[in-house]
Amino acid sequence: MEDNVIVDSSFTAVVNAPIGDIDIPAWCFSLPDKEYQGCSPAHVAAGATTAPDGRRMSINVEVIGGTPMVQHYVEKHAEPHHLVLESVSDLFTTAGRTTMVVMWELSVAPLDDGRCEFTNHVRTWATEEFTAYLDRQGIPFDVFRAQRQPFSRAHNAGETPLFAASLERHALRQAAKG
């Protein structure tokens, strides 16, 4: 699978809340649509549902590098300070529809009593369908990867501090409730 990696991107930002007040899965699976949209100009919509096996699922719609994507993030690992989601995401391009796998990993680590470091780590790789899609167009995988990386990295860099601020607001609201 490592040969099919398109992007591996990780950025961090500070959350001004104590680690004990942070619950990443609770934030992720209750993130309002407008709040998600406010975390990036590329974000179109978000909602939560369940996968057929009952695991929690976050559905996100965004446009990266001009390509609309629908991500079907299924929870793979969920603890208050660490969430791993995996999606076989749909991409809608001028040359047709295809898929790629996206792994979205969110975590926090304490910096001191009142602050944490938030990490937003995104990895994408090609499905067999995606490889065939590129082959039909005569696009070498390395060329696609080189063109996609700057868009994906810029998107992740932009959304990370805004996700951290949203997570901070969520943590502080929950702490105020009791």
Side-chain angles (χ1 to χ4, degrees):
M1 186 176 316
E2 289 302 312
D3 291 343
N4 291 337
V5 171
I6 299 167
V7 177
D8 189 338
S9 170
S10 187
F11 291 90
T12 62
V14 173
V15 174
N16 293 301
I19 190 106
D21 291 344
I22 295 176
D23 186 332
I24 297 171
W27 166 76
C28 179
F29 294 114
S30 68
L31 186 63
D33 190 45
K34 281 289 186 200
E35 182 94 2
Y36 175 77
Q37 291 170 358
C39 291
S40 172
H43 290 176
V44 177
T49 187
T50 55
D53 64 6
R55 288 182 291 165
R56 292 180 290 186
M57 191 172 175
S58 176
I59 305 292
N60 298 353
V61 180
E62 59 187 355
V63 180
I64 299 177
T67 302
M69 296 178 69
V70 177
Q71 297 153 332
H72 315 268
Y73 286 118
V74 177
E75 126 186 89
K76 299 299 246 180
H77 174 85
E79 295 177 357
H81 307 138
H82 188 207
L83 177 64
V84 179
L85 303 164
E86 184 177 271
S87 171
V88 177
S89 298
D90 296 301
L91 286 78
F92 299 87
T93 75
T94 56
R97 182 175 172 175
T98 189
T99 61
M100 70 172 52
V101 176
V102 182
M103 182 78 70
W104 187 23
E105 183 174 8
L106 306 167
S107 62
V108 289
L111 291 171
D112 55 38
D113 287 345
R115 297 179 316 133
C116 299
E117 182 177 67
F118 169 74
T119 301
N120 181 17
H121 186 184
V122 178
R123 292 171 294 237
T124 61
W125 59 90
T127 59
E128 288 181 21
E129 177 184 354
F130 189 80
T131 302
Y133 163 85
L134 290 178
D135 289 346
R136 284 192 305 275
Q137 297 177 75
I139 300 171
F141 181 78
D142 289 342
V143 170
F144 174 82
R145 179 176 27 213
Q147 291 175 346
R148 180 69 177 194
Q149 285 183 358
F151 293 113
S152 294
R153 287 191 175 122
H155 177 78
N156 191 0
E159 75 183 359
T160 297
L162 298 172
F163 276 151
S166 176
L167 180 60
E168 178 180 310
R169 288 189 295 274
H170 181 269
L172 297 175
R173 275 193 309 271
Q174 298 307 308
K177 288 181 182 178

